[in-house]
């Protein structure tokens, strides 16, 4: 068993469109766009989503969630 093995599991998604949909969902969720989040959720609910499509969606969502948010500057700091 190799501790520092770079071998990864099957990381290529089955459906690139579902990966992109997952990224759009994560972006909308981070930015508070409830309209887009609901639209994507409705689209996933109406379509017959297979396990491989759900995995691809989760891969896209997790890939965007792995990127840390950019820290914002505080606007209410007092200058000396």
């Amino acid at each position: 068993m190799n501790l520092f093995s770079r071998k990864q599991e099957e990381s290529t998604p089955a459906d690139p469109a579902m990966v992109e949909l997952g990224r759009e969902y994560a972006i909308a969720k981070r930015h508070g766009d409830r309209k887009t989040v609901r639209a994507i959720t409705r689209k996933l609910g109406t379509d017959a989503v297979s396990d491989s499509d759900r995995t691809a969606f989760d891969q896209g969502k997790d890939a965007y969630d792995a990127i840390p948010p950019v820290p914002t500057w505080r606007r209410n700091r007092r200058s000396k």
Side-chain angles (χ1 to χ4, degrees):
M1 182 195 277
N2 193 353
L3 183 61
F4 299 106
S5 177
R6 290 183 178 249
K7 185 187 290 186
Q8 295 178 352
E9 294 180 20
E10 184 73 24
S11 62
T12 55
D15 188 8
M18 289 300 288
V19 172
E20 187 61 31
L21 191 64
R23 284 182 48 86
E24 288 178 18
Y25 178 82
I27 290 169
K29 192 85 166 164
R30 181 177 286 183
H31 294 286
D33 187 2
R34 292 182 293 177
K35 182 179 178 182
T36 305
V37 169
R38 286 185 193 138
I40 293 172
T41 305
R42 259 187 261 118
K43 184 176 182 181
L44 288 176
T46 59
D47 295 345
V49 180
S50 66
D51 289 339
S52 63
D53 287 344
R54 176 61 74 177
T55 303
F57 178 82
D58 290 337
Q59 282 179 355
K61 186 175 71 163
D62 294 339
Y64 188 80
D65 285 340
I67 302 170
V70 176
T72 58
W73 296 100
R74 295 182 182 221
R75 296 182 185 186
N76 58 355
R77 287 191 178 172
R78 292 183 179 179
S79 59
K80 293 183 178 181

